[in-house]
Amino acid sequence: MLARTIFTADHDEFRKNVRRFLDEECVPHHARWEEQQHVDRDIWRRAGELGFLCLTVPEEYGGMGGDRLFSTVLMEEQSYAGVTGPGFSVHSDIVANYILNFGTEEQKRTWLPKMASGEAIGAIAMTEPGTGSDLQAVKTRAERDGDDYVINGNKIFITNGYLADIVVVVAKTGNSGSGSKDISLILVENGRPGFTKAAPLKKVGMKAQDTCELFFENVRVPRSNLLGGVEGQGFPQLMKELGWERLIIAILSIASAQAALNWTVDYTRTRKVFGKSVAEYQNTRFKLADLKAKIAVTQVFVDRCLELVLEHQLSPEAAATAKLTASELVCHVVDECVQLHGGYGYMLEYPIARAFIDNRASRIYGGTNEIMKELIARTL
């Protein structure tokens, strides 16, 4: 409806390469990945080989050195293709960012090249069984013992957790009683004694994206694993990155909404009822027109937020607004589109049915939408 002006010719060429990779090397395997509840590790190495990981990480650390619009392209194309399995955005745009923006030089040189190549898969462990959006209330503790930290606790709903080689763990390192001042981020490598992973959780949707529970029982790591080398900086570090993380959800949501609309337009044009296509009925045309208009308006807001990201000016309330509106919209769109598919909309062989169950979580993770409303309300 309105031409998107945020992308350059380089972004467009990158989009073609990403689309080819997803169509040829991910889509054919996605059903199997959903059955096993995680993707093959080989796809991570392949993505690294093609330069699709850690896109914003500087070249000196093995990345592409691009802007966040390259990440946006990858996220959008995953949504258009219905490829929810590989948690590339968590790995590249969340975990790698924490290490790049807050890590010591040694931490950067140790992990970023491996993450960019796909040799090491990254996860971030925030949520606990009794603590979701309230990060200050985490129970996991990291106690200093000489030159080490000893970590105890458990985390749940961790994307990439099952395959993870490096995990950024949110833990309490202080005893001041002020949650925000006691939190630190600590790197924990897979294979540390006492660090165990449960089997992938059986989710309603996004079944190919491995999500599991992590357990830390007297896990000993050197103090050099403290992200940035200074205790008590975890909460400010989390807050600095949460805006981008919430915009990621908005990007994925609006792209998924557009994909759902495209699939439904195609379906209603070919499906016939009482001698004419479903698309010929006024009810169908009006519903699709309403969805197209809402998607177009929300896309403009998300694109403006992306411009602000590039200018390092994205506000927390704008990020919360983008996440809130886009995630609410995608759930509305896929519901309407399932209805227009009729009985076939409830069959998992159709992408609209998978989108219906895959996108519901967007209103929960990254901070529930109720929390987003609270953040926005504080600015009134």
Side-chain angles (χ1 to χ4, degrees):
M1 186 177 296
L2 295 177
R4 300 178 69 190
T5 59
I6 59 175
F7 300 112
T8 67
D10 288 339
H11 296 122
D12 294 339
E13 185 61 30
F14 179 72
R15 187 182 294 276
K16 294 177 184 177
N17 294 332
V18 168
R19 186 172 297 172
R20 188 180 307 114
F21 163 68
L22 293 171
D23 288 346
E24 296 177 2
E25 304 192 42
C26 293
V27 171
H29 304 288
H30 208 266
R32 177 172 58 80
W33 292 344
E34 290 185 329
E35 288 292 325
Q36 68 187 28
Q37 295 184 279
H38 61 85
V39 304
D40 298 332
R41 181 171 281 271
D42 286 349
I43 203 64
W44 285 92
R45 286 190 279 265
R46 179 59 174 157
E49 178 185 331
L50 294 172
F52 295 156
L53 299 179
C54 299
L55 296 169
T56 61
V57 169
E59 293 181 19
E60 64 179 301
Y61 299 119
M64 174 182 172
D67 59 35
R68 284 180 168 173
L69 293 179
F70 285 98
S71 298
T72 300
V73 167
L74 179 57
M75 288 182 245
E76 289 182 346
E77 289 302 318
Q78 280 192 255
S79 295
Y80 298 153
V83 175
T84 61
F88 293 147
S89 60
V90 171
H91 170 91
S92 299
D93 291 284
I94 297 179
V95 180
N97 275 350
Y98 277 104
I99 296 174
L100 175 65
N101 294 334
F102 309 119
T104 64
E105 189 63 22
E106 180 183 1
Q107 290 165 349
K108 295 176 188 178
R109 296 202 177 276
T110 298
W111 289 108
L112 292 178
K114 294 178 183 178
M115 292 179 68
S117 69
E119 177 187 349
I121 299 171
I124 182 163
M126 297 187 195
T127 304
E128 298 180 357
T131 304
S133 299
D134 184 6
L135 292 174
Q136 297 186 49
V138 296
K139 302 297 184 185
T140 299
R141 291 202 62 87
E143 300 285 354
R144 285 168 59 174
D145 182 22
D147 291 331
D148 295 337
Y149 284 106
V150 179
I151 304 174
N152 283 281
N154 63 303
K155 302 288 184 176
I156 199 167
F157 308 140
I158 308 306
T159 300
N160 295 344
Y162 187 68
L163 293 177
D165 300 290
I166 183 66
V167 181
V168 177
V169 178
V170 179
K172 290 280 184 66
T173 53
N175 296 290
S176 72
S178 174
S180 62
K181 296 179 180 178
D182 292 335
I183 291 175
S184 298
L185 305 185
I186 299 177
L187 301 176
V188 178
E189 307 93 335
N190 186 36
R192 289 273 178 186
F195 174 31
T196 56
K197 308 171 180 178
L201 294 164
K202 294 183 179 180
K203 306 189 298 295
V204 171
M206 303 183 77
K207 295 180 180 180
Q209 186 179 101
D210 81 77
T211 309
C212 75
E213 193 166 5
L214 306 179
F215 302 92
F216 305 89
E217 185 175 356
N218 294 322
V219 178
R220 187 174 289 271
V221 300
R223 287 179 61 186
S224 59
N225 278 28
L226 177 67
L227 193 66
V230 180
E231 284 188 4
Q233 295 300 304
F235 196 74
Q237 291 167 347
L238 290 166
M239 292 303 102
K240 287 177 182 176
E241 291 298 310
L242 275 177
W244 171 236
E245 292 171 28
R246 285 165 180 161
L247 189 57
I248 286 173
I249 298 169
I251 293 165
L252 293 168
S253 294
I254 195 64
S256 295
Q258 184 63 59
L261 178 62
N262 294 344
W263 297 327
T264 306
V265 168
D266 290 343
Y267 177 81
T268 56
R269 284 173 175 169
T270 57
R271 173 70 167 151
K272 292 189 178 295
V273 176
F274 299 121
K276 61 180 182 180
S277 71
V278 174
E280 292 181 74
Y281 289 91
Q282 186 183 69
N283 177 70
T284 303
R285 297 200 312 275
F286 280 13
K287 280 189 176 293
L288 293 176
D290 182 59
L291 297 181
K292 180 177 181 179
K294 289 175 179 175
I295 291 170
V297 170
T298 306
Q299 183 70 75
V300 171
F301 186 84
V302 171
D303 283 357
R304 177 58 184 144
C305 286
L306 280 165
E307 291 176 336
L308 292 172
V309 163
L310 298 180
E311 298 165 3
H312 305 288
Q313 294 182 2
L314 180 67
S315 66
E317 59 267 29
T321 300
K323 193 268 187 186
L324 171 67
T325 54
S327 62
E328 293 285 346
L329 177 61
V330 71
C331 290
H332 170 66
V333 169
V334 294
D335 184 69
E336 292 282 12
C337 290
V338 164
Q339 191 70 22
L340 289 171
H341 276 74
Y344 291 105
Y346 213 61
M347 298 295 106
L348 286 175
E349 64 189 275
Y350 281 74
I352 192 61
R354 297 194 297 276
F356 181 75
I357 58 177
D358 287 343
N359 283 285
R360 181 58 181 83
S362 64
R363 289 157 60 189
I364 299 172
Y365 56 53
T368 65
N369 279 7
E370 289 71 27
I371 296 296
M372 298 304 102
K373 292 174 184 178
E374 178 63 28
L375 294 174
I376 297 165
R378 292 174 186 174
T379 68
L380 296 175

PDB file of all heavy atoms in Angstrom, residues 201-234:
ATOM      1  N   LEU A 201      10.515 -28.725  25.698  1.00  0.00           N
ATOM      2  CA  LEU A 201       9.153 -28.628  26.212  1.00  0.00           C
ATOM      3  C   LEU A 201       8.140 -28.833  25.085  1.00  0.00           C
ATOM      4  O   LEU A 201       8.367 -28.431  23.941  1.00  0.00           O
ATOM      5  CB  LEU A 201       8.947 -27.259  26.852  1.00  0.00           C
ATOM      6  CG  LEU A 201       9.781 -26.990  28.109  1.00  0.00           C
ATOM      7  CD1 LEU A 201       9.783 -25.490  28.425  1.00  0.00           C
ATOM      8  CD2 LEU A 201       9.262 -27.784  29.287  1.00  0.00           C
ATOM      9  N   LYS A 202       7.016 -29.455  25.418  1.00  0.00           N
ATOM     10  CA  LYS A 202       5.971 -29.716  24.432  1.00  0.00           C
ATOM     11  C   LYS A 202       5.040 -28.515  24.364  1.00  0.00           C
ATOM     12  O   LYS A 202       4.077 -28.412  25.112  1.00  0.00           O
ATOM     13  CB  LYS A 202       5.220 -30.990  24.795  1.00  0.00           C
ATOM     14  CG  LYS A 202       6.087 -32.241  24.708  1.00  0.00           C
ATOM     15  CD  LYS A 202       5.298 -33.514  25.009  1.00  0.00           C
ATOM     16  CE  LYS A 202       6.195 -34.738  24.877  1.00  0.00           C
ATOM     17  NZ  LYS A 202       5.434 -35.987  25.163  1.00  0.00           N
ATOM     18  N   LYS A 203       5.339 -27.623  23.446  1.00  0.00           N
ATOM     19  CA  LYS A 203       4.589 -26.378  23.317  1.00  0.00           C
ATOM     20  C   LYS A 203       3.378 -26.563  22.397  1.00  0.00           C
ATOM     21  O   LYS A 203       3.314 -27.490  21.600  1.00  0.00           O
ATOM     22  CB  LYS A 203       5.499 -25.278  22.751  1.00  0.00           C
ATOM     23  CG  LYS A 203       6.787 -25.071  23.538  1.00  0.00           C
ATOM     24  CD  LYS A 203       7.539 -23.835  23.064  1.00  0.00           C
ATOM     25  CE  LYS A 203       7.968 -23.915  21.626  1.00  0.00           C
ATOM     26  NZ  LYS A 203       8.952 -24.987  21.369  1.00  0.00           N
ATOM     27  N   VAL A 204       2.459 -25.605  22.479  1.00  0.00           N
ATOM     28  CA  VAL A 204       1.301 -25.600  21.592  1.00  0.00           C
ATOM     29  C   VAL A 204       1.746 -25.334  20.157  1.00  0.00           C
ATOM     30  O   VAL A 204       1.309 -25.998  19.217  1.00  0.00           O
ATOM     31  CB  VAL A 204       0.289 -24.529  22.039  1.00  0.00           C
ATOM     32  CG1 VAL A 204      -0.826 -24.360  21.003  1.00  0.00           C
ATOM     33  CG2 VAL A 204      -0.306 -24.910  23.393  1.00  0.00           C
ATOM     34  N   GLY A 205       2.627 -24.365  19.986  1.00  0.00           N
ATOM     35  CA  GLY A 205       3.121 -24.011  18.654  1.00  0.00           C
ATOM     36  C   GLY A 205       4.620 -23.830  18.664  1.00  0.00           C
ATOM     37  O   GLY A 205       5.296 -24.141  19.642  1.00  0.00           O
ATOM     38  N   MET A 206       5.160 -23.348  17.547  1.00  0.00           N
ATOM     39  CA  MET A 206       6.608 -23.155  17.379  1.00  0.00           C
ATOM     40  C   MET A 206       7.360 -24.407  17.825  1.00  0.00           C
ATOM     41  O   MET A 206       8.364 -24.352  18.543  1.00  0.00           O
ATOM     42  CB  MET A 206       7.075 -21.931  18.168  1.00  0.00           C
ATOM     43  CG  MET A 206       6.364 -20.654  17.784  1.00  0.00           C
ATOM     44  SD  MET A 206       6.948 -19.187  18.648  1.00  0.00           S
ATOM     45  CE  MET A 206       8.480 -18.888  17.756  1.00  0.00           C
ATOM     46  N   LYS A 207       6.872 -25.546  17.377  1.00  0.00           N
ATOM     47  CA  LYS A 207       7.382 -26.819  17.875  1.00  0.00           C
ATOM     48  C   LYS A 207       8.786 -27.140  17.399  1.00  0.00           C
ATOM     49  O   LYS A 207       9.501 -27.918  18.032  1.00  0.00           O
ATOM     50  CB  LYS A 207       6.424 -27.938  17.468  1.00  0.00           C
ATOM     51  CG  LYS A 207       5.059 -27.814  18.114  1.00  0.00           C
ATOM     52  CD  LYS A 207       4.122 -28.939  17.692  1.00  0.00           C
ATOM     53  CE  LYS A 207       2.760 -28.785  18.375  1.00  0.00           C
ATOM     54  NZ  LYS A 207       1.831 -29.857  17.981  1.00  0.00           N
ATOM     55  N   ALA A 208       9.212 -26.558  16.294  1.00  0.00           N
ATOM     56  CA  ALA A 208      10.550 -26.839  15.789  1.00  0.00           C
ATOM     57  C   ALA A 208      11.622 -26.007  16.484  1.00  0.00           C
ATOM     58  O   ALA A 208      12.813 -26.290  16.361  1.00  0.00           O
ATOM     59  CB  ALA A 208      10.612 -26.598  14.278  1.00  0.00           C
ATOM     60  N   GLN A 209      11.199 -24.969  17.201  1.00  0.00           N
ATOM     61  CA  GLN A 209      12.158 -24.128  17.913  1.00  0.00           C
ATOM     62  C   GLN A 209      12.368 -24.713  19.298  1.00  0.00           C
ATOM     63  O   GLN A 209      11.458 -24.712  20.116  1.00  0.00           O
ATOM     64  CB  GLN A 209      11.630 -22.692  18.016  1.00  0.00           C
ATOM     65  CG  GLN A 209      12.641 -21.735  18.624  1.00  0.00           C
ATOM     66  CD  GLN A 209      12.111 -20.307  18.686  1.00  0.00           C
ATOM     67  OE1 GLN A 209      11.680 -19.855  19.729  1.00  0.00           O
ATOM     68  NE2 GLN A 209      12.138 -19.618  17.551  1.00  0.00           N
ATOM     69  N   ASP A 210      13.569 -25.210  19.555  1.00  0.00           N
ATOM     70  CA  ASP A 210      13.781 -25.906  20.824  1.00  0.00           C
ATOM     71  C   ASP A 210      13.668 -24.944  21.998  1.00  0.00           C
ATOM     72  O   ASP A 210      14.223 -23.846  22.001  1.00  0.00           O
ATOM     73  CB  ASP A 210      15.120 -26.644  20.821  1.00  0.00           C
ATOM     74  CG  ASP A 210      16.323 -25.776  21.122  1.00  0.00           C
ATOM     75  OD1 ASP A 210      16.526 -25.458  22.299  1.00  0.00           O
ATOM     76  OD2 ASP A 210      17.056 -25.441  20.175  1.00  0.00           O
ATOM     77  N   THR A 211      12.870 -25.343  22.948  1.00  0.00           N
ATOM     78  CA  THR A 211      12.627 -24.558  24.155  1.00  0.00           C
ATOM     79  C   THR A 211      12.659 -25.531  25.323  1.00  0.00           C
ATOM     80  O   THR A 211      11.931 -26.528  25.306  1.00  0.00           O
ATOM     81  CB  THR A 211      11.254 -23.867  24.105  1.00  0.00           C
ATOM     82  OG1 THR A 211      11.132 -23.154  22.873  1.00  0.00           O
ATOM     83  CG2 THR A 211      11.075 -22.922  25.270  1.00  0.00           C
ATOM     84  N   CYS A 212      13.492 -25.267  26.314  1.00  0.00           N
ATOM     85  CA  CYS A 212      13.609 -26.251  27.381  1.00  0.00           C
ATOM     86  C   CYS A 212      13.866 -25.593  28.725  1.00  0.00           C
ATOM     87  O   CYS A 212      13.994 -24.372  28.837  1.00  0.00           O
ATOM     88  CB  CYS A 212      14.701 -27.269  27.066  1.00  0.00           C
ATOM     89  SG  CYS A 212      16.374 -26.644  27.288  1.00  0.00           S
ATOM     90  N   GLU A 213      13.925 -26.433  29.755  1.00  0.00           N
ATOM     91  CA  GLU A 213      14.235 -25.991  31.104  1.00  0.00           C
ATOM     92  C   GLU A 213      15.703 -26.287  31.377  1.00  0.00           C
ATOM     93  O   GLU A 213      16.234 -27.324  30.966  1.00  0.00           O
ATOM     94  CB  GLU A 213      13.347 -26.729  32.109  1.00  0.00           C
ATOM     95  CG  GLU A 213      13.364 -26.143  33.505  1.00  0.00           C
ATOM     96  CD  GLU A 213      12.244 -26.675  34.389  1.00  0.00           C
ATOM     97  OE1 GLU A 213      11.508 -27.579  33.945  1.00  0.00           O
ATOM     98  OE2 GLU A 213      12.109 -26.176  35.528  1.00  0.00           O
ATOM     99  N   LEU A 214      16.370 -25.362  32.054  1.00  0.00           N
ATOM    100  CA  LEU A 214      17.784 -25.512  32.389  1.00  0.00           C
ATOM    101  C   LEU A 214      17.938 -25.582  33.905  1.00  0.00           C
ATOM    102  O   LEU A 214      17.253 -24.863  34.640  1.00  0.00           O
ATOM    103  CB  LEU A 214      18.595 -24.333  31.851  1.00  0.00           C
ATOM    104  CG  LEU A 214      18.480 -24.013  30.356  1.00  0.00           C
ATOM    105  CD1 LEU A 214      19.328 -22.794  30.014  1.00  0.00           C
ATOM    106  CD2 LEU A 214      18.874 -25.212  29.504  1.00  0.00           C
ATOM    107  N   PHE A 215      18.864 -26.426  34.354  1.00  0.00           N
ATOM    108  CA  PHE A 215      19.093 -26.615  35.785  1.00  0.00           C
ATOM    109  C   PHE A 215      20.554 -26.339  36.120  1.00  0.00           C
ATOM    110  O   PHE A 215      21.465 -26.779  35.401  1.00  0.00           O
ATOM    111  CB  PHE A 215      18.728 -28.040  36.204  1.00  0.00           C
ATOM    112  CG  PHE A 215      17.300 -28.413  35.913  1.00  0.00           C
ATOM    113  CD1 PHE A 215      16.957 -29.022  34.721  1.00  0.00           C
ATOM    114  CD2 PHE A 215      16.300 -28.129  36.834  1.00  0.00           C
ATOM    115  CE1 PHE A 215      15.640 -29.355  34.440  1.00  0.00           C
ATOM    116  CE2 PHE A 215      14.984 -28.460  36.567  1.00  0.00           C
ATOM    117  CZ  PHE A 215      14.644 -29.077  35.365  1.00  0.00           C
ATOM    118  N   PHE A 216      20.762 -25.636  37.219  1.00  0.00           N
ATOM    119  CA  PHE A 216      22.107 -25.300  37.681  1.00  0.00           C
ATOM    120  C   PHE A 216      22.245 -25.769  39.129  1.00  0.00           C
ATOM    121  O   PHE A 216      21.616 -25.222  40.026  1.00  0.00           O
ATOM    122  CB  PHE A 216      22.351 -23.791  37.584  1.00  0.00           C
ATOM    123  CG  PHE A 216      22.104 -23.231  36.209  1.00  0.00           C
ATOM    124  CD1 PHE A 216      20.837 -22.782  35.840  1.00  0.00           C
ATOM    125  CD2 PHE A 216      23.129 -23.164  35.278  1.00  0.00           C
ATOM    126  CE1 PHE A 216      20.599 -22.274  34.578  1.00  0.00           C
ATOM    127  CE2 PHE A 216      22.899 -22.656  34.000  1.00  0.00           C
ATOM    128  CZ  PHE A 216      21.630 -22.213  33.649  1.00  0.00           C
ATOM    129  N   GLU A 217      23.045 -26.791  39.313  1.00  0.00           N
ATOM    130  CA  GLU A 217      23.255 -27.348  40.644  1.00  0.00           C
ATOM    131  C   GLU A 217      24.739 -27.282  40.985  1.00  0.00           C
ATOM    132  O   GLU A 217      25.538 -28.081  40.495  1.00  0.00           O
ATOM    133  CB  GLU A 217      22.757 -28.789  40.716  1.00  0.00           C
ATOM    134  CG  GLU A 217      22.836 -29.382  42.119  1.00  0.00           C
ATOM    135  CD  GLU A 217      22.219 -30.768  42.199  1.00  0.00           C
ATOM    136  OE1 GLU A 217      21.666 -31.238  41.194  1.00  0.00           O
ATOM    137  OE2 GLU A 217      22.305 -31.379  43.276  1.00  0.00           O
ATOM    138  N   ASN A 218      25.080 -26.277  41.766  1.00  0.00           N
ATOM    139  CA  ASN A 218      26.482 -26.053  42.140  1.00  0.00           C
ATOM    140  C   ASN A 218      27.383 -25.983  40.908  1.00  0.00           C
ATOM    141  O   ASN A 218      28.450 -26.596  40.864  1.00  0.00           O
ATOM    142  CB  ASN A 218      26.978 -27.152  43.095  1.00  0.00           C
ATOM    143  CG  ASN A 218      26.265 -27.100  44.433  1.00  0.00           C
ATOM    144  OD1 ASN A 218      25.984 -26.024  44.958  1.00  0.00           O
ATOM    145  ND2 ASN A 218      25.954 -28.266  44.986  1.00  0.00           N
ATOM    146  N   VAL A 219      26.925 -25.225  39.925  1.00  0.00           N
ATOM    147  CA  VAL A 219      27.705 -25.065  38.700  1.00  0.00           C
ATOM    148  C   VAL A 219      28.805 -24.041  38.961  1.00  0.00           C
ATOM    149  O   VAL A 219      28.539 -22.891  39.303  1.00  0.00           O
ATOM    150  CB  VAL A 219      26.812 -24.602  37.529  1.00  0.00           C
ATOM    151  CG1 VAL A 219      27.654 -24.384  36.277  1.00  0.00           C
ATOM    152  CG2 VAL A 219      25.719 -25.623  37.270  1.00  0.00           C
ATOM    153  N   ARG A 220      30.017 -24.462  38.768  1.00  0.00           N
ATOM    154  CA  ARG A 220      31.165 -23.600  39.059  1.00  0.00           C
ATOM    155  C   ARG A 220      31.719 -23.024  37.750  1.00  0.00           C
ATOM    156  O   ARG A 220      32.037 -23.776  36.822  1.00  0.00           O
ATOM    157  CB  ARG A 220      32.241 -24.409  39.783  1.00  0.00           C
ATOM    158  CG  ARG A 220      33.427 -23.589  40.291  1.00  0.00           C
ATOM    159  CD  ARG A 220      34.365 -24.470  41.121  1.00  0.00           C
ATOM    160  NE  ARG A 220      33.754 -24.831  42.395  1.00  0.00           N
ATOM    161  CZ  ARG A 220      33.868 -24.115  43.498  1.00  0.00           C
ATOM    162  NH1 ARG A 220      34.566 -22.980  43.499  1.00  0.00           N
ATOM    163  NH2 ARG A 220      33.282 -24.506  44.614  1.00  0.00           N
ATOM    164  N   VAL A 221      31.792 -21.685  37.703  1.00  0.00           N
ATOM    165  CA  VAL A 221      32.380 -21.012  36.546  1.00  0.00           C
ATOM    166  C   VAL A 221      33.363 -19.977  37.066  1.00  0.00           C
ATOM    167  O   VAL A 221      33.214 -19.463  38.176  1.00  0.00           O
ATOM    168  CB  VAL A 221      31.310 -20.318  35.666  1.00  0.00           C
ATOM    169  CG1 VAL A 221      30.299 -21.319  35.134  1.00  0.00           C
ATOM    170  CG2 VAL A 221      30.617 -19.202  36.412  1.00  0.00           C
ATOM    171  N   PRO A 222      34.402 -19.663  36.304  1.00  0.00           N
ATOM    172  CA  PRO A 222      35.367 -18.651  36.755  1.00  0.00           C
ATOM    173  C   PRO A 222      34.743 -17.267  36.804  1.00  0.00           C
ATOM    174  O   PRO A 222      33.800 -16.963  36.056  1.00  0.00           O
ATOM    175  CB  PRO A 222      36.477 -18.730  35.702  1.00  0.00           C
ATOM    176  CG  PRO A 222      35.817 -19.282  34.491  1.00  0.00           C
ATOM    177  CD  PRO A 222      34.770 -20.224  34.985  1.00  0.00           C
ATOM    178  N   ARG A 223      35.252 -16.394  37.650  1.00  0.00           N
ATOM    179  CA  ARG A 223      34.723 -15.039  37.755  1.00  0.00           C
ATOM    180  C   ARG A 223      34.893 -14.275  36.446  1.00  0.00           C
ATOM    181  O   ARG A 223      34.181 -13.293  36.201  1.00  0.00           O
ATOM    182  CB  ARG A 223      35.419 -14.292  38.897  1.00  0.00           C
ATOM    183  CG  ARG A 223      34.968 -14.779  40.278  1.00  0.00           C
ATOM    184  CD  ARG A 223      35.683 -14.051  41.402  1.00  0.00           C
ATOM    185  NE  ARG A 223      35.422 -12.608  41.374  1.00  0.00           N
ATOM    186  CZ  ARG A 223      36.018 -11.736  42.186  1.00  0.00           C
ATOM    187  NH1 ARG A 223      36.923 -12.165  43.068  1.00  0.00           N
ATOM    188  NH2 ARG A 223      35.723 -10.456  42.120  1.00  0.00           N
ATOM    189  N   SER A 224      35.792 -14.726  35.588  1.00  0.00           N
ATOM    190  CA  SER A 224      35.967 -14.094  34.286  1.00  0.00           C
ATOM    191  C   SER A 224      34.748 -14.304  33.386  1.00  0.00           C
ATOM    192  O   SER A 224      34.630 -13.666  32.340  1.00  0.00           O
ATOM    193  CB  SER A 224      37.219 -14.643  33.588  1.00  0.00           C
ATOM    194  OG  SER A 224      37.122 -16.038  33.402  1.00  0.00           O
ATOM    195  N   ASN A 225      33.816 -15.191  33.792  1.00  0.00           N
ATOM    196  CA  ASN A 225      32.589 -15.409  33.026  1.00  0.00           C
ATOM    197  C   ASN A 225      31.519 -14.363  33.326  1.00  0.00           C
ATOM    198  O   ASN A 225      30.472 -14.332  32.680  1.00  0.00           O
ATOM    199  CB  ASN A 225      32.013 -16.801  33.307  1.00  0.00           C
ATOM    200  CG  ASN A 225      32.692 -17.888  32.491  1.00  0.00           C
ATOM    201  OD1 ASN A 225      33.853 -17.751  32.120  1.00  0.00           O
ATOM    202  ND2 ASN A 225      31.986 -18.973  32.228  1.00  0.00           N
ATOM    203  N   LEU A 226      31.764 -13.507  34.317  1.00  0.00           N
ATOM    204  CA  LEU A 226      30.835 -12.413  34.600  1.00  0.00           C
ATOM    205  C   LEU A 226      30.821 -11.474  33.403  1.00  0.00           C
ATOM    206  O   LEU A 226      31.862 -10.941  33.007  1.00  0.00           O
ATOM    207  CB  LEU A 226      31.281 -11.667  35.858  1.00  0.00           C
ATOM    208  CG  LEU A 226      30.458 -10.443  36.263  1.00  0.00           C
ATOM    209  CD1 LEU A 226      29.053 -10.847  36.692  1.00  0.00           C
ATOM    210  CD2 LEU A 226      31.171  -9.681  37.381  1.00  0.00           C
ATOM    211  N   LEU A 227      29.652 -11.261  32.819  1.00  0.00           N
ATOM    212  CA  LEU A 227      29.572 -10.446  31.610  1.00  0.00           C
ATOM    213  C   LEU A 227      29.955  -8.996  31.913  1.00  0.00           C
ATOM    214  O   LEU A 227      29.308  -8.334  32.731  1.00  0.00           O
ATOM    215  CB  LEU A 227      28.153 -10.498  31.028  1.00  0.00           C
ATOM    216  CG  LEU A 227      28.019  -9.943  29.605  1.00  0.00           C
ATOM    217  CD1 LEU A 227      28.772 -10.807  28.609  1.00  0.00           C
ATOM    218  CD2 LEU A 227      26.553  -9.853  29.203  1.00  0.00           C
ATOM    219  N   GLY A 228      31.013  -8.550  31.277  1.00  0.00           N
ATOM    220  CA  GLY A 228      31.501  -7.193  31.489  1.00  0.00           C
ATOM    221  C   GLY A 228      32.461  -7.052  32.638  1.00  0.00           C
ATOM    222  O   GLY A 228      33.121  -6.019  32.773  1.00  0.00           O
ATOM    223  N   GLY A 229      32.530  -8.069  33.509  1.00  0.00           N
ATOM    224  CA  GLY A 229      33.514  -8.060  34.586  1.00  0.00           C
ATOM    225  C   GLY A 229      33.131  -7.288  35.829  1.00  0.00           C
ATOM    226  O   GLY A 229      33.915  -7.208  36.776  1.00  0.00           O
ATOM    227  N   VAL A 230      31.921  -6.706  35.872  1.00  0.00           N
ATOM    228  CA  VAL A 230      31.501  -5.913  37.028  1.00  0.00           C
ATOM    229  C   VAL A 230      30.163  -6.434  37.532  1.00  0.00           C
ATOM    230  O   VAL A 230      29.204  -6.540  36.757  1.00  0.00           O
ATOM    231  CB  VAL A 230      31.368  -4.411  36.676  1.00  0.00           C
ATOM    232  CG1 VAL A 230      30.920  -3.619  37.899  1.00  0.00           C
ATOM    233  CG2 VAL A 230      32.691  -3.877  36.148  1.00  0.00           C
ATOM    234  N   GLU A 231      30.080  -6.754  38.822  1.00  0.00           N
ATOM    235  CA  GLU A 231      28.836  -7.241  39.406  1.00  0.00           C
ATOM    236  C   GLU A 231      27.775  -6.145  39.478  1.00  0.00           C
ATOM    237  O   GLU A 231      28.090  -4.962  39.527  1.00  0.00           O
ATOM    238  CB  GLU A 231      29.088  -7.781  40.820  1.00  0.00           C
ATOM    239  CG  GLU A 231      29.746  -9.133  40.861  1.00  0.00           C
ATOM    240  CD  GLU A 231      29.788  -9.699  42.286  1.00  0.00           C
ATOM    241  OE1 GLU A 231      29.238  -9.058  43.204  1.00  0.00           O
ATOM    242  OE2 GLU A 231      30.382 -10.778  42.473  1.00  0.00           O
ATOM    243  N   GLY A 232      26.514  -6.586  39.506  1.00  0.00           N
ATOM    244  CA  GLY A 232      25.411  -5.675  39.719  1.00  0.00           C
ATOM    245  C   GLY A 232      24.988  -4.867  38.511  1.00  0.00           C
ATOM    246  O   GLY A 232      24.131  -3.985  38.618  1.00  0.00           O
ATOM    247  N   GLN A 233      25.555  -5.170  37.351  1.00  0.00           N
ATOM    248  CA  GLN A 233      25.213  -4.429  36.132  1.00  0.00           C
ATOM    249  C   GLN A 233      24.178  -5.147  35.273  1.00  0.00           C
ATOM    250  O   GLN A 233      23.792  -4.649  34.212  1.00  0.00           O
ATOM    251  CB  GLN A 233      26.481  -4.202  35.294  1.00  0.00           C
ATOM    252  CG  GLN A 233      27.513  -3.323  35.967  1.00  0.00           C
ATOM    253  CD  GLN A 233      26.964  -1.946  36.271  1.00  0.00           C
ATOM    254  OE1 GLN A 233      26.485  -1.245  35.387  1.00  0.00           O
ATOM    255  NE2 GLN A 233      27.018  -1.553  37.543  1.00  0.00           N
ATOM    256  N   GLY A 234      23.701  -6.302  35.750  1.00  0.00           N
ATOM    257  CA  GLY A 234      22.799  -7.107  34.936  1.00  0.00           C
ATOM    258  C   GLY A 234      21.494  -6.427  34.583  1.00  0.00           C
ATOM    259  O   GLY A 234      21.045  -6.478  33.430  1.00  0.00           O
TER     260      GLY A 234
END
